[in-house]
Amino acid sequence: MMKLNIVCIPGDGIGPEIVKQAKAVLDRVAAVYGHEIAYKDVLMGGASIDVHGIPLTDEAIADAKAADAVLMGSIGGDTSKSPWYQLPPEKRPEAGLLKIRKALNLFANLRPAILYQELADACPLRQSVRKDGFDMMIMRELTGGLYFGERRTVTEDGVRKAVDTLVYSEEEIRRIAIKGFDIARKRRKKVTSVDKANVLDSSRLWRSVVEEVAKEYPDVVLEHMLVDNCAMQLVKDPAQFDVILTENMFGDILSDEASMVTGSIGMLASASLNDTKFGLYEPSHGSAPDIAGCDIANPIATILSAAMMLRYSFDLDEEADAIERAVKAVLKENWRTADIMSEGCRQVGCSEMGRLITEHLEEKE
Ligand code: IPM
Ligand code: MG
């Protein structure tokens, strides 16, 4: 019996409805396996701007720090229409996300990209390319690099000039590399470290630190790949990848590409971890403001993020497995939300998809 203290950040757009379904699944798991879960809802992003004028308050950070883990929906709105985007950059919804990552030291971002056999038709790659499917883990450094380096815009002699800086210390590289190799060890034991070492000093340091760390993991195969080549290889032969280890900006871009290659971004979870068991778990997709409140969003990525939370923050592998099995069972019965709908399947909304998954969690194996 475990007592879990979870902070929920429903956020904006479809966030509240998908988090609601993930909570229902967690409650069912708790009932079946005899755990107790206490939730506290916290505002972030546009939802916080509307109430407090800023995307993340110090109290919200303190609440998150005091919890065992954070389950998040999504934040942000329509950048061309929402008044949130009339605010200066540091007061917009996304600034809240960057702030919480830094404040909680969530340096390791895990983004699995899996081709579900049941959804193979949604994959935009030809059968000869996708072969028997693929299952990779993108490990993105999340609190360094261009995102957190000094930046400024100046005018010199009447000409505007903007500067962003890309800084990495060897400690920052080492700790994400260690996480990457640890995770590879639990998978297929291969790390592809992605950089731009043919141009950037930060990448040359990245490569040399990753090589040092690799010496401690003789059972894991390490290869280096340039980021432009990696972008190409992801659509040419995605099955070659096990763990992709990369810096913040490259990981942002490659993880979107990898999720598109699966064809079902509504299915992909993510975890952002620090060096303890604490983590923030959220779907890989965004807030989809155009369909917010319509009960048609896919809650599966959030439900699978809750499973990752049980696995990584609470070591509840059996419970996490049960959620993943329930999701697969529902897909096998051909239930689909609109985003993954295909011919011959039965379309359901967000709450019904959540209910079906919950229903499959009845029995304990
Ligand atoms: C992501 C998002 C964020 C990022 C944005 C919203 C700041 O794209 O989590 O990948 O770039 O990290
Ligand atoms: Mg992104």
Side-chain angles (χ1 to χ4, degrees):
M1 195 328 250
M2 273 185 91
K3 271 192 141 173
L4 325 183
N5 280 308
I6 297 173
V7 151
C8 284
I9 303 180
D12 309 319
I14 57 171
E17 51 200 291
I18 54 183
V19 166
K20 188 172 170 204
Q21 297 312 316
K23 271 179 166 175
V25 168
L26 282 173
D27 285 338
R28 168 64 69 187
V29 169
V32 174
Y33 291 83
H35 304 300
E36 224 171 81
I37 308 183
Y39 302 99
K40 178 160 192 183
D41 276 4
V42 161
L43 297 177
M44 190 167 104
S48 173
I49 295 172
D50 289 346
V51 176
H52 302 293
I54 50 171
L56 186 70
T57 62
D58 290 342
E59 293 90 84
I61 294 177
D63 282 338
K65 274 190 178 156
D68 299 320
V70 178
L71 180 66
M72 197 188 122
S74 49
I75 53 125
D78 186 329
T79 49
S80 57
K81 289 196 204 124
S82 165
W84 299 330
Y85 296 93
Q86 304 299 320
L87 296 165
E90 69 281 3
K91 288 201 169 156
R92 292 180 195 167
E94 288 72 13
L97 184 58
L98 298 185
K99 193 170 164 191
I100 202 169
R101 286 174 181 168
K102 197 68 172 178
L104 302 177
N105 195 25
L106 305 171
F107 64 86
N109 183 216
L110 280 61
R111 298 190 169 179
I114 301 166
L115 182 72
Y116 286 85
Q117 277 318 317
E118 294 82 2
L119 304 178
D121 287 344
C123 174
L125 303 178
R126 278 197 311 272
Q127 211 284 325
S128 59
V129 178
R130 68 177 188 250
K131 297 185 205 131
D132 298 327
F134 49 86
D135 174 353
M136 70 187 96
M137 178 69 89
I138 303 200
M139 300 269 319
R140 167 187 176 194
E141 200 291 325
L142 202 59
T143 52
L146 275 170
Y147 277 65
F148 293 95
E150 221 180 284
R151 67 179 97 257
R152 64 180 182 282
T153 306
V154 292
T155 305
E156 279 171 12
D157 303 327
V159 178
R160 283 175 304 155
K161 195 166 131 185
V163 187
D164 295 282
T165 34
L166 201 181
V167 184
Y168 269 109
S169 73
E170 56 180 315
E171 282 84 8
E172 286 174 307
I173 301 168
R174 190 169 295 113
R175 63 184 184 174
I176 181 79
I178 290 171
K179 282 250 191 226
F181 279 92
D182 281 343
I183 283 172
R185 218 169 224 175
K186 292 190 183 169
R187 297 172 46 100
R188 300 191 308 279
K189 298 192 169 56
K190 180 178 173 192
V191 170
T192 304
S193 174
V194 174
D195 61 39
K196 188 71 185 170
N198 52 349
V199 178
L200 303 176
D201 259 22
S202 55
S203 281
R204 287 188 273 269
L205 180 64
W206 181 278
R207 204 175 263 220
S208 94
V209 175
V210 168
E211 269 170 12
E212 281 164 31
V213 172
K215 291 199 183 104
E216 308 294 320
Y217 297 82
D219 53 322
V220 177
V221 174
L222 168 67
E223 69 175 12
H224 300 284
M225 194 178 275
L226 295 172
V227 63
D228 47 352
N229 184 29
C230 182
M232 194 173 82
Q233 295 297 329
L234 275 170
V235 290
K236 192 170 166 227
D237 179 18
Q240 71 183 286
F241 296 110
D242 179 15
V243 172
I244 291 181
L245 174 65
T246 193
E247 64 93 50
N248 205 345
M249 176 82 142
F250 297 160
D252 177 44
I253 298 167
L254 294 176
S255 62
D256 262 27
E257 186 189 358
S259 67
M260 184 60 223
V261 165
T262 70
S264 38
I265 185 164
M267 302 286 300
L268 301 180
S270 86
S272 304
L273 310 173
N274 65 17
D275 44 19
T276 68
K277 288 264 165 204
F278 184 89
L280 179 149
Y281 301 83
E282 58 171 320
S284 278
H285 59 71
S287 60
D290 52 321
I291 58 163
C294 303
D295 195 33
I296 54 174
N298 186 349
I300 295 180
T302 318
I303 290 169
L304 292 173
S305 300
M308 279 185 102
M309 177 176 82
L310 296 180
R311 198 183 295 288
Y312 290 103
S313 283
F314 301 108
D315 288 315
L316 296 173
D317 288 302
E318 205 185 315
E319 289 81 345
D321 288 345
I323 295 179
E324 289 169 5
R325 256 199 325 272
V327 167
K328 284 194 181 140
V330 169
L331 293 177
K332 232 188 197 107
E333 289 172 5
N334 290 327
W335 299 106
R336 301 282 189 274
T337 43
D339 57 311
I340 50 173
M341 183 61 188
S342 63
E343 230 185 289
C345 291
R346 298 179 281 189
Q347 193 169 325
V348 291
C350 179
S351 47
E352 182 60 8
M353 181 53 94
R355 197 192 61 77
L356 286 163
I357 293 167
T358 306
E359 208 177 77
H360 279 78
L361 281 163
E362 288 297 351
E363 323 95 69
K364 187 167 166 178
E365 302 241 332

